[in-house]
Amino acid sequence: DATADLPLNFQPVGELYLGGDIGRRKDLTVLILLEKIGDVYWVRAIIRMRGRSFAEQRLVIENLMDTLPIRRLCQDASGLGMQLAEELAVKYGTSRVEPIQFTMPVKEDLAVRTRRNFEQKTLRTPEDRSLRSAVHAIRRIPTAAGHFRFDAERSEAGHSDEFWALAL
């Protein structure tokens, strides 16, 4: 039950947003629930799922979407997440679910925007070591073609999955 990861008696006062980065074996599936109060986004829940079936992951997301007034879910629609993102968009509508393809330009936009939110103090996170490590692991890496990509080295902990869920 994903709502078990929320503070007891959670009653949102602001708009809720959910970011979902999908993984299965090597990477985590991470969902991050944000609440926007004024101009500040507050992380209200970090839900990590390692090795959970896609059916279980879908149930967790649907439980959140059905029980909370989530304004928008931005869902990883690359690779493993493609089918889930499509099905969630059909069920909840494209006004509530936005499938996101992780292209180089999209990842750059997400990384730069998230960094800017941290710098402007419009994004507040809990004392969570894994989240902090994932944020600090993202690097701007030059490509052979002279472009830049934003990514992190794959480790036992994942592939900065918490960062990408937060950025989404």
Side-chain angles (χ1 to χ4, degrees):
D1 179 13
T3 55
D5 294 311
L6 293 170
L8 233 46
N9 301 319
F10 177 65
Q11 295 294 321
V13 295
E15 294 177 336
L16 297 180
Y17 297 90
L18 186 64
D21 185 31
I22 302 300
R24 179 65 191 274
R25 291 195 173 98
K26 292 181 183 177
D27 297 331
L28 288 172
T29 288
V30 179
L31 305 171
I32 294 192
L33 181 68
L34 295 172
E35 182 176 15
K36 184 178 182 188
I37 300 174
D39 291 337
V40 179
Y41 292 91
W42 296 84
V43 172
R44 295 303 188 204
I46 303 170
I47 301 160
R48 296 174 178 92
M49 295 180 271
R50 182 179 296 282
R52 303 264 297 269
S53 73
F54 292 119
E56 289 176 292
Q57 293 179 33
R58 181 186 178 126
L59 285 174
V60 169
I61 295 169
E62 288 178 344
N63 182 42
L64 290 167
M65 295 294 288
D66 292 341
T67 59
L68 294 172
I70 294 173
R71 180 170 183 185
R72 193 138 183 94
L73 161 64
C74 286
Q75 172 70 55
D76 166 20
S78 303
L80 296 177
M82 184 183 300
Q83 181 176 350
L84 179 58
E86 284 179 9
E87 292 172 355
L88 291 169
V90 168
K91 181 172 182 173
Y92 295 103
T94 55
S95 64
R96 281 191 78 199
V97 176
E98 182 178 357
I100 304 287
Q101 285 284 332
F102 275 147
T103 63
M104 279 187 9
V106 167
K107 286 179 96 170
E108 178 177 1
D109 179 62
L110 290 170
V112 169
R113 189 180 315 201
T114 302
R115 178 181 175 177
R116 188 176 310 124
N117 283 329
F118 274 116
E119 289 171 350
Q120 295 174 348
K121 299 188 184 338
T122 57
L123 178 58
R124 306 290 171 82
T125 62
E127 293 292 326
D128 184 288
R129 186 173 299 185
S130 294
L131 176 60
R132 302 265 170 131
S133 293
V135 168
H136 291 293
I138 296 297
R139 298 285 178 252
R140 183 174 178 244
I141 304 164
T143 67
H147 301 286
F148 291 94
R149 67 183 177 89
F150 289 80
D151 220 334
E153 289 188 30
R154 188 175 306 282
S155 70
E156 204 173 285
H159 197 57
S160 284
D161 308 302
E162 288 97 342
F163 174 82
W164 293 115
L166 178 66
L168 284 166

